[in-house]
Amino acid sequence: MREYSIAAIPADGIGPEVISAGLEVLEALTQKAGGFQLKVEKFPWGSDYYKKHGTMMPANGLELLRPFSAIYFGAVGAPDVPDHITLWGLRLAICQGFDQYVNLRPTRILEGLSSPLRDCKPNDLDWVIVRENTEGEYSGQGGRAHRGFPEEVATETSIFTRRGVTRIMRFAFQLAQQRPRKLLTVVTKSNAQRHGMVFWDEIAAEVSKEFPEVIWDKMLVDAMTTRMVAKPASLDTIVATNLHADILSDLAAALAGSLGIAPTGNIDPERRFPSMFEPIHGAAFDITGKGIANPIGAFWTAAMMLAHLGEKDAVQRLMHAVERVTASGLHTPDLGGKATTREVTSAVCDAIHSSNV
Ligand code: ATP
């Protein structure tokens, strides 16, 4: 029996609701599949922890997480704690501390869902966004001086290193090569950002020589938003900086139906550290505690985590069950339905139990 240890960090807002739904679905999968087991440990870190202890996680948090096979993360953020504290204190501390330099965001239109784009057919939108996850615009470099005076100044410096850009490009080209269309779009802003982004373009051209089968092109990030809306079928694998991909992937999720369905993995491809999987949505305070959060993003996230652990059959079974439920029309309000988190979760568990995949 293969056994994996999972550190669950539900954290804030709807995080606990969707992560407990996800754990229930994972439990149904292990019961059905046999062959592997998940040993789950929950960590009560996040904004409530911060209000009691002054930090989002204990000082030895990374040490505690390190032995786990993977981390299953909910969402961070609280109305009464500044966003930069919640983000840097937990999510980014884990991403950076474990050098999870790839943020992987698959997007497609699941069965039974539709895009807000009038003419977009399900097969027109099947993308994977590769986001650089440790440097760029979110490297935390900069500062504030002369606070409160008219000459007050703030700087936010983007960092692009040869090592950092090369490894994310190589990952993106490799991924594009494995996908049927072998198509990669490198997003930049090298007309206006004439140092870091020109460097990014040059390294893309260098790395492309290792992957002669991959057809690739470059897009400025502003033109990219238009292409995603106007010509979705012209895209497949997309690589972009930390900031650009952050924005593009929210747009991608919305174009695929809802922010509530989209998953992401923060991955250390070298597997020196545990990778972390989370739905891309945030804490969503407007619906917290109402029992209507869409758990599909957390389920698809669980599938990404299982794929990382090498459990391919379980991934197929889980996504098949999810799409049986989305196709049945049982949708939460963000998808225009009336179903609750509980109803969707039970339906997916039932679909797993009755599945012959
Ligand atoms: P962050 O900055 O952390 O990404 P945010 O405040 O920009 O967070 P979200 O918290 O993700 O954004 O919420 C944006 C909108 O999407 C809200 O109206 C929220 O209710 C909705 N939303 C997000 N996730 C879900 C979900 N799982 N189910 C239903 N609605 C959701």
Side-chain angles (χ1 to χ4, degrees), residues 246-269:
D246 188 12
I247 298 166
L248 294 180
S249 51
D250 266 28
L251 172 61
L255 294 178
S258 164
L259 203 53
I261 60 164
T264 184
N266 300 285
I267 293 167
D268 165 27

Side-chain angles (χ1 to χ4, degrees), residues 14 18 76 259-260 280-284 286-287 292-294 334:
I14 60 169
V18 297
V76 275
L259 203 53
I280 85 164
H281 61 74
D286 51 338
I287 56 163
I292 54 164
N294 191 343
D334 56 306

Side-chain angles (χ1 to χ4, degrees), residues 143-160:
R144 298 267 297 268
H146 311 303
R147 280 179 190 253
F149 289 94
E151 59 272 33
E152 183 167 1
V153 55
T155 58
E156 191 81 48
T157 308
S158 300
I159 302 283
F160 297 98

Side-chain angles (χ1 to χ4, degrees), residues 1-18:
M1 178 77 82
R2 298 175 299 282
E3 189 175 288
Y4 307 102
S5 54
I6 306 296
I9 310 178
D12 302 336
I14 60 169
E17 300 170 43
V18 297

